Each structure stands twice: as structure tokens, then as C-alpha cells.
Amino acid sequence: MEVLVTKYRELIGGVKTRFVRGLAEHINWKAQAVCIEGARGTGKSTLMLQHIKSNLPLDKTLYLSVDDLYFTQHTLIDVAEQFYHHGGRHLFLDEVHKYADWQREVKNLYDFKPQLQLVVSGSSILALQRSEADLSRRMLRYYLPELSLREFIALKDRLVLPSFTLTDVLEHHTQIVDELKRKLESPLKSFRDYLTMGAYPFFLEGGKQDYLMRLNQLINVIIDYDLPEARSIESSTLAKLKKLLYIVSTAVPFTPNITRLADQVGTSRNRLLEMLDLLEKAQLIHNLRSAAFGVSLMNKPEKVLLHNTSLIMALAEGQPNDGNLRETFFYTQLSGAGHRVTYPKAGDFLIDGSYTFEIGGKGKSGKQIAGIQNAFLALDDLEYGTAKKIPLWLFGFLY
């Protein structure tokens, strides 16, 4: 076990705490069991290590990456028992879905070691979803989204800016822009940078080309390894999933003709709907559905969007559609802030069943949403808004 402690101490020594994801403020770190979910690359491991370094006694805490080769010869229960016996009280388990039968062992630790705090995380949402039945009443679950525009600026420019509620933005956007402009010289430039390489914290590890290469590798890992670990998938289907992603990335805001799309991908209509659901659960796409029809697998989505704008830039080979980028950005920022996003009768998005939005460039008219109560325009290439015309970039400050 000494080798695990050594690795943990080395990781703690190298972690930086200058920037911490906003989710850290919302997690109940005193709970007996916490689960942090999120896509690969969003910073879950760093979030856990930062909390340990800043808030916990290092000698009573242990961070383990459960995909470590050590666990091919030792069980999680044995390691936890030994750690607890020597006074350990805070156990952090990263990449927990990589460990077979982790749900049962975590459940046993929760039930029989009530003084042991457990914090687990994993990148495969499909695998983590299996734990919901046994652990739902025991474990508090939190979701770490991709970086918001505000968080991207904080990381890139070391500039700490406030977040705002959606109500704040809708009612006071001109004053908020004035406030932000006192520190942020060019919000539109920051917005453009974000669209290209702002969704994942690892943008700091190299230039644009390195970032896009890492994203393509991340996509391949999710499809080639994470999905087959969670579901029984034929190798031919994996290639079709990648083709489907490419089609979505290069299209205008994508209203799918399911039969035609199935022909393009080379599969059946029902199988295509299953593939769309699988890619959504893998956090590679958003399936935008009408609130009127619910989330049934066999109900086709009204629109299909990639999960963030960085994925578009990685897959669209330098030729992304502006409308696709704009709508994907808006969806990502609103859903990342915890808002419910559905497809409206008119306009592009319905938020929390109350607010209708049309997305476009600064010359976009409001004719599509004329006469609709609580309807707004979210417009690109606009630094300041007026009345119900709100700068699109400002929705990047919701979290």
C-alpha cells in the first residue's frame, strides 16, 4: 500500500489551487458519500485533489486512481480496510468505473464504516448509471460540466469574474456588460477563443493543434473503450458512431431526418435512434427534444448538437457552421448551469419551460418569436445588447 500513498503524495504536491472549478462551492464535502460525474477531460481528478490539498489533513486522506495496476492484485475493500485501520478517514476514488463490482464494495464501506468519507468520480456516465439503484439513497451526486466561458477566461487570463443568474442576465444585461467590461477588455475575442478551444481545461497544455489532436484522441477513447466497457457494441457500430458525429459536426443546426440519416450512416431507423441515445449518454451530443413528447428513446430529437463547440472544431476540419457553433454554445452554457433546455413551438430553445430564445448574428430579427411572451434574442457579434436583444457571449457567465 505504500506505493499508493507515495503516488498520492506526489500528485498532491503537483496540484495547483489558483483556479478551482465553480462546482467545488456547491458540493457538500461533509457528506459521507459523494459522486462527481462528468465527461472525460473536464477536471474531476484535479477538483478532488484541490479539495484535499486545501481542506483535509493529508495523513488521514488517500486519493486512489482505481485503474491503477495495483488493483489487479489487490481489492478495493482490502486497501480501504488497511487505510481505515491506520486512522484514514477520507477516501477519494477516481475512475471508479474501471473497477469491477465497485458498487458493492463502496456500498459495504458506506454501511460498515460510517466514519469513513467516500468521494468517487468517473468519466463513463454509462457505467456510473448502473450504481444508481444501490447507491442513490447513500450518495450525493454532482455533475461537472465542460468549462463555461467565464471559467475559460479565469484559467487563460487569470481574471476572476462573477457569475450571474439567468434572471440577472435577462433583466440587467446592459449593466452586467458594463461591470464586466471594467475588467474584460474584449469579450468578443475571448468568446471566439472559447469557441475554438475553451471547453476543456487541458487547453493550457499546448496550442490549438495540440488541443484539437487531444480532442480527437478523447473522442476515440470514449467510443472505442468507454462505450464497449459499458455496453455490448459491435466494432462495426463504433465506426458508424464516429461517422454520425462527423455528420452532426459539419451540418447547420441539425434537424434530423431520421430515415435519411440512417441511410447515410448505414443502419436502420431504430438502430440510429439507439445510437443517438448512446452518444448522448456518452456526453458527445445533445438530443434536443420537445417538452411535449418527453425523452422516450423512440421519440426522435428535434435537433442534434455536439456536446460543446470544441468538439465541433475538432471534427468539422476547420469548416464549422456558424449557426451550429452559436446554438451549441448556448445549449452548453444553459445546461451546464443546470437549466432545462427543450425545443419550443417557435424559436430555437425553450428554457425551464418559461423563456424562449432565438439564436443568431447581430442582424437577426425577432420575427420568429414575435408575439411570444418572455421571448429573447441571443445574438453573436454583439458586445452590448438592448432590451430583449442580449449578447450571446454573456450566457457564458451563468456558472
Side-chain angles (χ1 to χ4, degrees):
M1 182 172 167
E2 288 77 11
V3 66
L4 296 177
V5 174
T6 299
K7 289 181 180 179
Y8 151 63
R9 288 301 185 107
E10 288 176 350
L11 286 170
I12 287 293
V15 74
K16 298 177 182 178
T17 57
R18 180 189 63 80
F19 168 80
V20 180
R21 294 294 308 271
L23 179 67
E25 298 178 6
H26 302 284
I27 294 174
N28 178 6
W29 292 107
K30 294 184 178 180
Q32 185 185 343
V34 169
C35 178
I36 303 172
E37 303 174 353
R40 280 184 175 271
T42 51
K44 298 179 298 300
S45 304
T46 301
L47 185 69
M48 296 166 75
L49 290 166
Q50 287 173 327
H51 176 70
I52 294 170
K53 187 169 188 174
S54 298
N55 300 284
L56 296 175
L58 299 187
D59 59 336
K60 293 187 176 181
T61 306
L62 182 61
Y63 166 94
L64 302 172
S65 184
V66 188
D67 59 352
D68 194 294
L69 289 175
Y70 186 90
F71 290 101
T72 61
Q73 301 296 323
H74 303 82
T75 68
L76 180 57
I77 282 284
D78 287 343
V79 172
E81 291 273 4
Q82 189 176 350
F83 170 65
Y84 187 82
H85 178 72
H86 286 89
R89 291 299 180 266
H90 308 278
L91 184 60
F92 287 70
L93 306 173
D94 201 7
E95 296 296 325
V96 71
H97 62 278
K98 296 286 187 179
Y99 184 88
D101 205 22
W102 70 270
Q103 301 96 325
R104 181 179 60 83
E105 296 197 22
V106 168
K107 177 178 177 292
N108 286 341
L109 288 171
Y110 180 98
D111 291 341
F112 298 112
K113 294 285 186 291
Q115 291 182 311
L116 179 65
Q117 184 193 36
L118 299 162
V119 180
V120 308
S121 81
S123 300
S124 176
I125 300 301
L126 285 164
L128 288 175
Q129 285 169 349
R130 297 174 181 173
S131 69
E132 290 183 358
D134 284 344
L135 295 174
S136 59
R137 71 175 180 84
R138 295 174 171 84
M139 187 169 283
L140 297 181
R141 291 176 175 266
Y142 298 90
Y143 176 73
L144 184 66
E146 295 93 330
L147 291 173
S148 67
L149 173 59
R150 185 189 73 86
E151 291 178 312
F152 168 72
I153 292 169
L155 256 179
K156 179 175 179 289
D157 300 325
R158 301 193 173 198
L159 189 59
V160 179
L161 298 168
S163 61
F164 303 92
T165 67
L166 180 59
T167 301
D168 289 336
V169 170
L170 298 183
E171 295 181 357
H172 307 294
H173 57 90
T174 54
Q175 297 96 314
I176 290 173
V177 173
D178 282 335
E179 178 183 344
L180 293 175
K181 284 279 289 177
R182 293 188 190 104
K183 291 185 176 181
L184 184 60
E185 182 178 347
S186 179
L188 289 177
K189 181 184 183 304
S190 296
F191 175 62
R192 293 292 164 213
D193 291 342
Y194 176 89
L195 293 182
T196 301
M197 52 184 298
Y200 300 92
F202 56 78
F203 76 84
L204 292 170
E205 299 173 20
K208 177 181 175 181
Q209 292 307 313
D210 287 345
Y211 180 76
L212 297 180
M213 185 182 300
R214 287 173 183 269
L215 275 178
N216 275 288
Q217 292 169 350
L218 181 146
I219 293 166
N220 285 330
V221 168
I222 292 172
I223 292 179
D224 293 337
Y225 296 98
D226 288 350
L227 291 184
E229 280 185 352
R231 297 281 178 86
S232 177
I233 301 176
E234 297 177 356
S235 57
S236 60
T237 300
L238 301 180
K240 291 174 182 177
L241 288 169
K242 293 177 183 178
K243 185 174 183 179
L244 179 55
L245 278 178
Y246 175 76
I247 292 171
V248 174
S249 74
T250 55
V252 298
F254 195 64
T255 303
N257 179 317
I258 296 298
T259 301
R260 185 184 304 163
L261 185 57
D263 289 340
Q264 284 180 272
V265 174
T267 190
S268 67
R269 183 184 189 280
N270 286 349
R271 184 57 178 153
L272 182 79
L273 290 171
E274 291 174 359
M275 290 167 66
L276 289 171
D277 181 68
L278 194 61
L279 288 174
E280 183 171 51
K281 286 185 168 65
Q283 297 170 95
L284 289 172
I285 66 171
H286 291 292
N287 291 319
L288 182 65
R289 291 183 167 88
S290 168
F293 297 108
V295 193
S296 168
L297 176 63
M298 290 298 110
N299 288 338
K300 85 173 186 70
E302 301 295 336
K303 283 185 183 179
V304 180
L305 300 166
L306 288 192
H307 212 265
N308 59 67
T309 58
S310 289
L311 293 176
I312 296 177
M313 300 302 291
L315 290 168
E317 299 178 347
Q319 297 180 328
N321 175 269
D322 285 342
N324 199 351
L325 283 171
R326 291 164 181 161
E327 293 196 14
T328 299
F329 172 81
F330 184 86
Y331 194 128
T332 300
Q333 303 302 296
L334 271 292
S335 62
H339 292 282
R340 181 169 174 256
V341 186
T342 54
Y343 189 74
K345 294 179 180 178
D348 292 315
F349 298 103
L350 181 65
I351 306 301
D352 299 331
S354 300
Y355 304 107
T356 300
F357 286 89
E358 180 76 14
I359 317 299
K362 65 180 179 181
K364 183 88 171 184
S365 74
K367 63 181 181 181
Q368 290 95 335
I369 53 175
I372 298 175
Q373 190 175 12
N374 293 325
F376 302 85
L377 292 168
L379 302 181
D380 195 2
D381 299 316
L382 195 68
E383 195 162 274
Y384 282 91
T386 57
K388 293 192 174 184
K389 292 184 177 182
I390 303 173
L392 178 60
W393 64 265
L394 192 53
F395 293 93
F397 284 78
L398 296 177
Y399 68 94

